[in-house]
Amino acid sequence: MKKIGVLGAGAMGRGMIKNLIESGYEVYVYDPSSKAQEISKNMGADVLNSPREVGAVVEILLASLPTSQAVKDSICGENGALQSLKEQSIICDMSTTAVSTEKELYALCKEKEIGYLDCPVSGGPMGAENATMSIMVGGDKEIFDKSKEVFNIIGGNIFYLGKSGSGQTIKICHNMVLAVTTISLVESFITAVKAGVNPKTLADVFKVSVAKSGTLDVFGDNLVNGTYEKTIFALSHMHKDANLYMGLADELKTPSPVSSVVYQLFNAAINKGLGSKDQTAVAEVLEEMSDFRIAFNQ
């Protein structure tokens, strides 16, 4: 039986673990959360005490973690996986992190003759559960080819994008488009509902017109009903990703006037304590500014 490690058994990691076990892999997991540990054990995974312990028993390692620092600590920290992984092993970082972090870890792994891919995903927890995620991969083509079997088990649309950092670059740009689209939808919904249009009617029209979008398909119900507490993608994660985009745009000296305003609105939402709610809760900032609620007037 093939052995694989997973660092992070949260909303995304759980789906990956399930699909790998169902495909016949022996899965070793590290997550500091006792709840995540219990869920992983119930699925049939072996839960170990550190990334270092996981690295000692696997040849391929997936990381699904919330921040760049968490990825660095889990891979090259004192109890990180690099302390025990053997040469020719492969690390696949499925997290959304800074491009600079991925390039740094790629170079470090290269020195140790360990393959490293940045391969962030899109599709949310449901995509992870159903193995329909899009996976955006950057790194050496040879390492990608060796990892494709795993990617095909946990994802549906697999893209090899080129050199290290390419996967994260596209994912960060993707999520900024999601953030911008969310704000655009919020503005248009407030305007239309203020004018007397039912928000569900507006959503139904948009979904079959040029203004249709994946953002509306996935997050539309929360926007229409004001159910921002039903978290599909946490606002804190969107804020983090928007911040990553702004850092990359600044590094590349890319003018980003629209993204700058959108980032400030998500920043305001964080300051209002909305981080644990769905990313559509950014609507509360604009609803307060306009003294009007989208869902209240249905």
Side-chain angles (χ1 to χ4, degrees), residues 35-110:
K35 180 180 179 182
Q37 292 170 12
E38 182 180 357
I39 291 171
S40 298
K41 287 178 182 177
N42 290 339
M43 287 191 292
D46 290 299
V47 176
L48 302 182
N49 296 315
S50 70
R52 184 173 188 161
E53 287 190 13
V54 175
V57 294
V58 302
E59 296 178 354
I60 185 165
L61 181 67
L62 311 184
S64 181
L65 299 165
T67 66
S68 298
Q69 191 59 52
V71 172
K72 291 176 74 171
D73 290 344
S74 294
I75 291 174
C76 55
E78 184 178 350
N79 283 306
L82 277 185
Q83 302 292 340
S84 58
L85 278 168
K86 301 175 182 65
E87 290 184 1
Q88 308 308 315
S89 297
I90 297 173
I91 299 174
C92 300
D93 181 21
M94 322 295 292
S95 321
T96 302
T97 59
V99 174
S100 58
T101 296
E102 299 296 6
K103 291 181 177 179
E104 176 186 342
L105 292 174
Y106 168 84
L108 182 61
C109 289
K110 194 84 167 176

Side-chain angles (χ1 to χ4, degrees), residues 178-179 181-183 185-186 190 215-216 218-236 238 266 269 274-287 293-294:
L178 171 56
T181 305
T182 298
I183 296 298
L185 286 169
V186 170
I190 290 174
T215 305
L216 184 58
V218 174
F219 298 97
D221 285 349
N222 278 354
L223 200 56
V224 167
N225 300 314
T227 49
Y228 308 136
E229 72 283 354
K230 293 184 178 179
T231 303
I232 299 168
F233 183 60
L235 190 144
S236 60
M238 179 59 82
F266 275 94
L274 304 176
S276 63
K277 290 188 175 184
D278 186 62
Q279 65 101 12
T280 49
V282 70
E284 292 189 25
V285 174
L286 288 162
E287 287 175 333
R293 280 184 56 81
I294 294 169

Side-chain angles (χ1 to χ4, degrees), residues 107-147:
L108 182 61
C109 289
K110 194 84 167 176
E111 290 178 2
K112 297 179 177 292
E113 297 187 35
I114 291 172
Y116 188 90
L117 299 172
D118 56 284
C119 31
V121 300
S122 178
M126 190 63 70
E129 175 77 14
N130 296 329
T132 56
M133 301 184 298
S134 294
I135 304 178
M136 299 156 251
V137 187
D140 296 342
K141 181 65 162 55
E142 176 188 0
I143 304 302
F144 168 74
D145 289 338
K146 290 179 180 178
S147 307

Side-chain angles (χ1 to χ4, degrees), residues 208-273:
V208 294
S209 305
V210 177
K212 64 185 176 183
S213 70
T215 305
L216 184 58
D217 290 341
V218 174
F219 298 97
D221 285 349
N222 278 354
L223 200 56
V224 167
N225 300 314
T227 49
Y228 308 136
E229 72 283 354
K230 293 184 178 179
T231 303
I232 299 168
F233 183 60
L235 190 144
S236 60
H237 292 165
M238 179 59 82
H239 176 258
K240 181 260 295 183
D241 294 350
N243 185 53
L244 290 174
Y245 175 86
M246 295 309 300
L248 182 62
D250 183 61
E251 177 187 336
L252 298 173
K253 296 181 171 53
T254 306
S256 300
V258 175
S259 297
S260 296
V261 173
V262 167
Y263 172 66
Q264 290 304 321
L265 289 168
F266 275 94
N267 200 48
I270 288 291
N271 291 336
K272 283 174 63 68

